[in-house]
Structure formats: structure tokens, C-alpha cells
Amino acid sequence: MSPRTVFVTGPGGAGRTTVAAATALAATRRGDRTLLLTADPAAEPVLGAAPGPDAAHPARVTDGLWAARVDSAGHFRTELLALQERATPALDLLGAPRLRGEELTELPGSDSFALLHALRTAADAGWDVLVVDLPPLPAALPLLALPEALRRYLRRLLPPQRQAARALHPMMAQLAGVPLPSRWLYETAGRKDAELAAAQALIEDPATSVRLVAEPGHAADEALRTARAGLALYGLRADALVANRVLPPADGHPWLAAAGRLQRESVAAWREPAAAWPAVHELPHLGRDPRGAGDLDALGLPAPDDAGAAGEARAAEPWWVEDRIAADGLLVWCLPLPGAVKSELNLVRREHELVLTVGPFRRIVPLAPALRRCTVSGAALTEGVLRIRFAPDPGLWPKDGPAGT
């Protein structure tokens, strides 16, 4: 059974690690065995204890709470050396010298793959709750969509039907005198696909949610608007918006009073029904950076909702098709995209897929079978819903028309 998973992200500098730690600690107060995953070096002073070296070896922080680092450099070296070992026959043919672990320098982007590996490890460890301290928003949401995108690339580059040819590899290898590299290539791709599938299943689990954190103020409003659209595009559920470092009333201090007033106005706007946040939690400014379990408890952050409530909230399919054949000869695909604006939208039809871009986020979505036999005739964004109009292609529909399919 997958753990109840909460991903924590927000604008840079908003206090993501603090909120992730407070969320994890709140879950333990409810009796849940909880693991906090983080790559932030600041996690140790926030927790008051050092996280374990990786997801397989977490360190106990307090009763019910363990923490582990996402070791991107170590994961990069391990994976590259393992790939080098499996590719030994091909490298020998080329006369290529071997790389040693101490000479490997982590490449940009390897932290994303390390996090996906840590998710796979944590998902199989029997935790009740998994809290993941993600990078800032612009990188966090595409990271959560990465397993789906990478598995699509693997299917395109190494289609399953081509793997049937592997049955010929032993005979061809004997004729060539060396193992053929395509065999280990397919085996490696298969292992990676299984790992990505496990991470994708955890991310798409009905009980999984995203907890956003922002410091109240106008600077956060645009980031949160974009985040709402990105969450909807990737089919992710927000369980709460956390207003962090809220100032107390400061009568007699004009500057603090003005700053606090602006914060309260921002939080009030976030609570408006039109904002559509499931819940807004306020965390007080302690006058210092939180340190240890005592400070984290003092923030008063509630635990994430239980798995049952989360599953009910995520049960409905977020996209649907309106059948308007009888009315005007069109099928309309409806995609809720709250927070999206027309100037940031772009969509392209490519064969049986739709490439949809919303601000900085992009997703390639397979079309439903009925829509594959249509052409795109237009699109409109109204009241936070993107409606894409499809006209049936007479050459692709059966003679009795769409109603007969």
C-alpha cells in the first residue's frame, strides 16, 4: 500500500523546508510513521537533527518521524558506474577507458532523477505518511510530471514491438562473437521504465497531494496563479495553501503595522471562494528561524488530510468530453485550467496527441479514441475551463456516424 504522500513546494525563499518538516511532525502527532525526504542543506537545523544519508537509510528525528536526504551526487555516480559495467562489451570494442567514481562530477538535472529514485525506495518501505520537500515551484511541478514524460520517450525510442527481435540476439551474438549492445539497452530501459512507473503511480495515487507555501504579499500572487494552472494541467491536487511568516499586530510600529496589513489583505484574498484553495493555513512569524520540534509544533500546522478524504477528492476525472454531435456536429474536450490566461496558452495537435502549454508548463496528452478521428476546429478559455472543439473527420468515422460507434 502506498503511503499518504504530500509534496511541499512554493516560491523560492518561502520556507518550504520548514513547512515540510512541520507537516511531517504534525502527521506523527496523529500516530503515523512518517518519512521526510529533503535535499535542502538547511533541513538539519530546522529539524534539530541530521537526516539520514538516503531514503534507504533514514535517521530517526523524534518518535514516529524519520528524515533522509536525497543524495543526488551519490545517485549519479552509482547509476553511471552501473551503466558503464553493463556496457562493458561495447566499450571494450571501442577501446574506451573506464571512468572511476572519484572522477565523476554530478551533471545538472541529476537531482530530479535522484528524487524519483528516492520516491521509489520510500514507496516500498511501509511508511504511513511520506512528506517530500520539493524545489521551488517552476522546477517542482515539471519534476512531478517527469515520470510520465520519460516513459513516453522510452516507448517512442524503444517501442515494445521491437523488443520481440531480442529472441534473435543470442544467435546474432554468436555470429558476431560479442554480445550485442541492444540487448542490455532494452534490459536497462525495462528497469528504468519499472522505476519510473513506480514513481508515477505514487505521484498519481488518489491520496497524494501538493501543499503550497508562500509568504503573503503581492509578489506571491502571480506565482500561485501560475501554480494553480500547472497543478490542473498535470492532474495534481492541492490540499492546502500555507501562508508562512505571518506578522503579529504591531500597534505603535508603523512599518510593521503596514507590512502586517498587506499580509492580512493577501491572506483574505487567498481565502476568497474565487481563489478555490481547499484550505488556507496561517503560520506565525516566530521572530526567528524555527529550530527543532518545539518551534515546529509552535507553528500549529495541521496534519495532511487522511487518505480516504483525499481519495474522494481526487476520484473524479478532471477532463471530460461534451457530446454535441446532435447540436452542431462537434465534440468538445473540456480541460479545467484555473489560473490560466489566454496569452500563456498554446496547443498543437500531433497525430493522436495534444501538446498543451500553459505558461512555463507543458504536457503531451493522448487523445481519447473518439477524438483521434476528428480534426481540431477551435478552442476557447472561459471561466477557467479550456474547451477544445473537434469536428468529426468524415473519412475516419464509420458510415453510420459517431452515434453508431
Side-chain angles (χ1 to χ4, degrees), residues 1 34 36 113 150 159 174 204 229 256 293 309 337 389:
M1 181 178 178
T34 304
L36 171 66
F113 294 96
L150 291 177
Q174 288 182 356
E204 296 179 352
L256 287 177
L337 293 174
R389 299 185 296 276

Side-chain angles (χ1 to χ4, degrees), residues 321-333 371 374-378 388-392 397 402:
V321 176
E322 292 180 353
D323 187 349
R324 289 167 48 183
I325 291 291
D328 53 15
L330 295 177
L331 290 171
V332 181
W333 197 14
L371 300 181
C374 302
T375 57
V376 177
S377 63
I388 307 172
R389 299 185 296 276
F390 290 82
W397 282 99

Side-chain angles (χ1 to χ4, degrees), residues 6 60 136 206 240 312 331 387:
V6 183
R60 181 178 176 277
E312 293 174 3
L331 290 171
R387 290 177 168 85

